Amino acid sequence: MMEKLSTEQLKRCDDIKANYETIINNIALAAKQSGRKPEDITLLAATKTVEPVFINYAISLGLKFIGENKVQELLSKYEEYDLNNADLHFIGHLQTNKVRQLVGKVSMIQSVDSFRLAKEISNRSAQNDVITDILIEVNIGREENKSGVLPEDLNKLIEEISPLGSLRVKGLMSVPPICDSKKEISEYFDQMYKIFVDISSKTSDNINMDILSMGMSEDYKEAILSGANMVRVGSALFGTRIYR
Ligand SMILES: *Cc1c(COP(=O)(O)O)cnc(C)c1O
């Protein structure tokens, strides 16, 4: 099924395989250290800049979730993803006017941070006769230039979104600030976990707090130790990103 690969591409596949095994082992270890089972943690590969041939190779190793962060890039690669064997999520900042291009193509949008965006996702999903799962993105570091709802506005946003018919809130997502130490990043992860547990205890009809998506290549182990059950890993799996 796979096209013939160059020596260079085969070498990259070897690296991806070794990286994948390392990540799976690290996830299993962190899961156990936090009193959970390896299978309680979902690995999502962040696939920006990565060609579909390598994404599909990772899927052939057992990877079940992939995520893109730009609509244009997702659409240009869409036909090539092996979506019989993996789920596609959208994980980047999303403009309302691009929602219609995504709905029906992705099984989850992880980066919803306004009612306006949620309403558009629900409307477009209704038109397409699908239900779209979403996560609410939280700006835990209160960074001005970052997407995400502020922690104090989260309850209100969830209440507003709850009546929308064609989407389902599945949990929370966060991209904490760049930190100098593991200790500092863990504090953000701990804050997120606290918010996650807090919201879980008072969920309404349409809301399910199943997923806490946080942690990337540099800090997915810390994120799991703080309670993440989905990590989004890019460069640790595919190698350093080359932007063309
Ligand atoms: C790129 C990206 C990641 C993964 O980043 P790495 O540091 O390469 O692991 C995770 N989440 C989002 C939203 C991203 O855009």
Side-chain angles (χ1 to χ4, degrees), residues 62-131:
L63 177 71
K64 292 276 183 290
F65 294 87
I66 61 175
E68 291 286 353
N69 75 326
K70 293 213 163 63
V71 174
Q72 210 46 53
E73 183 175 348
L74 182 148
L75 294 175
S76 75
K77 286 147 82 171
Y78 184 73
E79 295 298 329
E80 293 174 77
Y81 300 124
D82 178 12
L83 295 182
N84 289 322
N85 294 300
D87 275 12
L88 175 62
H89 289 190
F90 188 75
I91 61 175
H93 178 65
L94 180 57
Q95 287 167 296
T96 310
N97 63 3
K98 298 207 169 144
V99 166
R100 71 182 162 79
Q101 296 173 281
L102 279 188
V103 163
K105 291 199 166 66
V106 295
S107 62
M108 183 179 282
I109 298 175
Q110 293 207 3
S111 38
V112 178
D113 61 359
S114 72
F115 177 70
R116 208 170 89 93
L117 181 58
K119 187 158 184 286
E120 176 68 6
I121 294 170
S122 184
N123 287 345
R124 295 290 176 179
S125 299
Q127 284 170 13
N128 279 266
D129 219 9
V130 295
I131 306 252

Side-chain angles (χ1 to χ4, degrees), residues 108-115 118 133-139 147-150 153-162 167-175 192 195-196 199 207-209 211-213 232:
M108 183 179 282
I109 298 175
Q110 293 207 3
S111 38
V112 178
D113 61 359
S114 72
F115 177 70
D133 288 340
I134 66 163
L135 302 181
I136 310 285
E137 181 172 357
V138 180
N139 184 355
S147 357
V149 60
L150 290 174
D153 299 330
L154 181 61
N155 274 318
K156 180 164 168 281
L157 179 61
I158 289 183
E159 267 171 40
E160 285 174 342
I161 290 179
S162 165
L167 60 71
R168 270 185 309 230
V169 179
K170 287 290 197 175
L172 304 178
M173 179 271 214
S174 190
V175 185
M192 275 304 302
I195 294 170
F196 178 70
I199 302 264
I207 315 287
N208 247 308
M209 283 287 144
I211 300 174
L212 179 56
S213 168
R232 307 178 311 270

Side-chain angles (χ1 to χ4, degrees), residues 44-48 67-70 90-93 110-111 137 173-175 213-220 231-241 243:
L44 175 139
T47 50
K48 57 178 170 273
E68 291 286 353
N69 75 326
K70 293 213 163 63
F90 188 75
I91 61 175
H93 178 65
Q110 293 207 3
S111 38
E137 181 172 357
M173 179 271 214
S174 190
V175 185
S213 168
M214 59 185 190
M216 318 202 293
S217 290
E218 291 302 315
D219 50 32
Y220 64 92
V231 292
R232 307 178 311 270
V233 178
S235 45
L237 178 59
F238 295 112
T240 311
R241 271 187 290 282
Y243 290 93

